[in-house]
Amino acid sequence: MAPGDVILLVDLGTQSLRGTVMDRAGHKLARWSVPVTTIRAGTCAEQDAREWRDGLRTLLEWLGRDHQLARCLRAIAACGTLAGTVALDERGEPLRPAMLYSDARPARCLPEIEATAAFQVVSQATGWRANACDLLPQVLWLAREEPDTYARARLLLDSTGYLNYLLTGAAWMDTYTQFTCYADPFSGELPRPLLAELGLDAGKLGQPAVIGSVLGTLAPQLAAACGLPPCHIISLSYDSMTAYLGAGLHREGEALDISGTVTSFGVRRATQFLDGNRRVYSLPFSGSGDWLVRGSTAASGASLEWARAELMDCDFARFDEMVRSSPPGARGLVFLPYLAGERAPLCNPDARGAFFGFTASTTRSDMARAVYEGVCFSLRHIQSVMESGGVRIGTVKLAGGLAQNPLLNAIKADITGKTLVPLLDHELTTSGAAAIVGRALGWYESDAEAACVLGQGGAPVLPDAANKAVYDRQFQLYTMLAEQLTPLFLPSEAYPVAPLPPVESPIQIG
């Protein structure tokens, strides 16, 4: 290898901070991972941004110890999760934990945003709605609920912006994160009229950065401490958008399903799609003039993990055995996977999960299968809204951790009726980042070439017609339940909670 032959891609997820060294042929030459801790209490979901900082430093030091790789390093690119607001003081130190996209507290700020004249102009043109998982509601929540922290903050950055701040010493906000602040999609600027109407300081946010642009070079002090050359830092967006941009969606109707803790679904379309009820939305796609029609669930993989740990108390191999022993349709049992509210198409942070259809003959295996099916029904619910508005959905590529489960993929194909193509490298955020960086460095002449090198698909998964007929009937019940239960979905504080009786601790201290 020669200098300039490799890149480092950093991906911050909900469970770990990962670093991958790749070459232009897509070979993964080294991989490291540092765990991160999520703090959950009620509707709060946070992580300590100092863990991100220390983890990033650890990844860079590990790379620096491999002298052959380090001398060949040409660029670093980092992405985090959606939002993940970090408040930094004058010294660049975090003032409080970072708010994750799953934190529901900013939901109380949505009516204030929706009521502004500036937001209504943007919403009418785009069909967007304010969501608690977005950056601007988190910033507004800090301003309203923790005014001292907001006042002390010199910078308020999303997780990707914070990683780039650590790498370059400058504050940035990528194009798609600007959209989570409800910026005009055609302006390339921060939504200053909206920020002014809400009384928020635009100076606390990062300066706009185009995806794939060079933000600068690795901060000299950091480079020297870690034994790395002064390489370029390339701009990415948050994880799911980075995956979409590198997924090789070249033609109208090509779609991508990224399923991990949550599911994000998007399909390429030549024209903008405006849903009158704002259940799904469109974003300009990759500067091509086309659009990405998107919708996301709130708890797909999270629902599976909950069921595995809390209901079945088994590993996933045993869980899959139970699913296989129940017939398609789970003998009429339906599961609504609304364990963290629901995003598209309900857009209701107060939605609650439910089982419906228990009988005396219902088995644990039926419950396990109903959970798998419920997660797939939630995806079909998004697709049905898109298709009812004339959006064509063709072959769907699969990525994310759940794409590794062949049984779940087969059920998903049967329920949606789509041909699915699991990508050979399910870590699409990393390969998507490689595609963006490779294009920026001139490694690939086109997005198609990058996708050909980095995003190859496996054997297609075809729907079974007999199973789909069963699921068509079950899906009608699923959507009916979602509609009929909506009036019962109340904020957490509306549910009475009896205090638990005191329990004597079996552990004696002292």
Side-chain angles (χ1 to χ4, degrees):
M1 289 186 297
D5 280 350
V6 304
I7 56 178
L8 172 64
L9 308 168
V10 178
D11 176 15
L12 172 63
T14 56
Q15 300 181 39
S16 65
L17 179 69
R18 299 175 292 276
T20 305
V21 179
M22 295 181 67
D23 63 16
R24 69 174 64 202
H27 298 133
K28 295 180 179 179
L29 306 177
R31 300 176 69 185
W32 305 285
S33 179
V34 179
V36 294
T37 305
T38 299
I39 307 160
R40 299 188 187 277
T43 58
C44 164
E46 299 178 329
Q47 289 182 352
D48 188 342
R50 294 173 299 182
E51 277 194 348
W52 303 353
R53 177 194 63 198
D54 296 344
L56 179 61
R57 176 70 174 256
T58 297
L59 294 180
L60 296 179
E61 289 174 345
W62 284 341
L63 175 55
R65 293 191 190 111
D66 189 321
H67 300 299
Q68 183 179 9
L69 287 179
R71 74 178 183 86
C72 297
L73 183 65
R74 184 172 179 185
I76 299 174
C79 67
T81 58
L82 175 65
T85 304
V86 183
L88 300 177
D89 66 13
E90 291 292 338
R91 298 174 298 126
E93 290 294 318
L95 290 166
R96 67 178 314 283
M99 299 180 71
L100 299 186
Y101 64 84
S102 53
D103 196 311
R105 292 173 295 174
R108 70 189 66 172
C109 297
L110 303 184
E112 182 179 356
I113 295 172
E114 295 261 356
T116 62
F119 180 84
Q120 290 172 16
V121 169
V122 173
S123 181
Q124 185 175 10
T126 62
W128 296 348
R129 70 164 65 230
N131 284 290
C133 59
D134 288 337
L135 180 61
L136 184 62
Q138 292 189 354
V139 170
L140 185 60
W141 184 90
L142 281 174
R144 300 294 184 260
E145 302 297 328
E146 296 182 8
D148 290 343
T149 300
Y150 178 82
R152 291 174 57 201
R154 180 175 69 90
L155 292 172
L156 294 165
L157 303 177
D158 70 299
S159 62
T160 301
Y162 178 58
L163 294 175
N164 285 325
Y165 174 80
L166 295 172
L167 292 169
T168 66
W172 304 94
M173 181 186 293
D174 70 86
T175 304
Y176 286 97
T177 297
Q178 290 177 52
F179 298 160
T180 71
C181 292
Y182 317 124
D184 183 330
F186 305 104
S187 72
E189 300 293 335
L190 292 173
R192 295 184 183 278
L194 175 57
L195 295 172
E197 202 168 343
L198 294 170
L200 299 176
D201 182 0
K204 293 179 182 286
L205 305 178
Q207 56 186 309
V210 176
I211 308 297
S213 63
V214 177
L215 301 177
T217 57
L218 182 62
Q221 186 174 357
L222 184 60
C226 298
L228 298 175
C231 56
H232 292 312
I233 307 300
I234 306 294
S235 174
L236 300 176
S237 188
Y238 54 89
D239 51 6
S240 63
M241 275 311 309
T242 292
Y244 280 114
L245 292 170
L249 304 182
H250 304 308
R251 291 175 290 276
E252 181 165 5
E254 291 185 334
L256 176 65
D257 165 358
I258 312 168
S259 288
T261 302
V262 304
T263 288
S264 176
F265 180 79
V267 56
R268 184 164 184 157
R269 193 168 194 256
T271 57
Q272 184 182 19
F273 173 64
L274 292 176
D275 174 37
N277 294 314
R278 299 189 302 163
R279 295 164 296 178
V280 297
Y281 62 97
S282 302
L283 296 171
F285 189 54
S286 188
S288 62
D290 282 5
W291 294 76
L292 184 72
V293 186
R294 282 193 61 180
S296 299
T297 69
S300 50
S303 295
L304 305 187
E305 175 59 27
W306 167 81
R308 180 202 66 78
E310 302 298 335
L311 290 184
M312 305 307 172
D313 190 22
C314 65
D315 60 24
F316 273 114
R318 172 58 184 153
F319 197 97
D320 280 2
E321 290 177 8
M322 298 174 70
V323 172
R324 289 189 182 94
S325 67
S326 177
R331 296 188 178 90
L333 189 65
V334 178
F335 174 66
L336 302 183
Y338 307 153
L339 303 189
E342 185 56 305
R343 292 159 75 177
L346 301 187
C347 304
N348 187 345
D350 299 319
R352 293 292 182 268
F355 281 101
F356 177 84
F358 281 114
T359 70
S361 62
T362 298
T363 66
R364 287 162 60 88
S365 294
D366 296 333
M367 295 174 66
R369 187 172 191 99
V371 171
Y372 269 26
E373 292 175 350
V375 167
C376 298
F377 283 136
S378 67
L379 172 61
R380 178 170 171 178
H381 204 178
I382 293 173
Q383 293 177 347
S384 68
V385 169
M386 294 179 178
E387 291 180 317
S388 68
V391 177
R392 185 177 69 83
I393 301 173
T395 299
V396 179
K397 297 181 179 182
L398 298 182
L402 298 191
Q404 299 179 84
N405 187 320
L407 175 59
L408 181 62
N409 292 345
I411 294 173
K412 186 176 290 185
D414 292 345
I415 285 178
T416 63
K418 308 298 181 190
T419 296
L420 311 179
V421 179
L423 296 176
L424 295 179
D425 185 353
H426 69 276
E427 295 180 342
L428 187 55
T429 298
T430 298
S431 57
I436 293 169
V437 176
R439 287 280 282 131
L441 298 179
W443 284 3
Y444 315 116
E445 293 186 0
S446 65
D447 293 339
E449 181 186 355
C452 182
V453 173
L454 301 165
Q456 297 181 15
V461 182
L462 305 178
D464 179 279
N467 291 346
K468 186 177 185 302
V470 173
Y471 287 134
D472 285 347
R473 295 191 295 271
Q474 199 85 332
F475 180 64
Q476 292 180 12
L477 178 57
Y478 175 93
T479 56
M480 186 183 302
L481 287 169
E483 179 181 353
Q484 295 297 320
L485 289 175
T486 292
L488 301 180
F489 295 151
L490 304 174
S492 298
E493 55 269 22
Y495 292 94
V497 179
L500 294 174
V503 178
E504 183 177 350
S505 172
I507 302 175
Q508 301 299 318
I509 301 176

